[in-house]
Amino acid sequence: MECCPNPPELRWILDVAVAVLPPKDSRTLRKQFAALDELW
């Protein structure tokens, strides 16, 4: 892997993590991701 990977290419890892979280935690993390997505 490169020094600085491309976040969109690795987003699938985060999507898998969110999928296995309990619903409340999943919603919280998705909201945080949405805020970060706006910065990128």
Side-chain angles (χ1 to χ4, degrees):
M1 192 177 282
E2 298 174 22
C3 164
C4 303
N6 185 353
E9 290 178 7
L10 298 178
R11 182 57 179 263
W12 67 271
I13 296 171
L14 297 175
D15 291 337
V16 170
V18 167
V20 299
L21 289 172
K24 180 181 177 186
D25 295 329
S26 177
R27 280 190 300 274
T28 301
L29 194 52
R30 286 183 196 274
K31 287 179 184 179
Q32 291 174 345
F33 288 162
L36 291 172
D37 284 343
E38 291 181 18
L39 297 175
W40 289 92

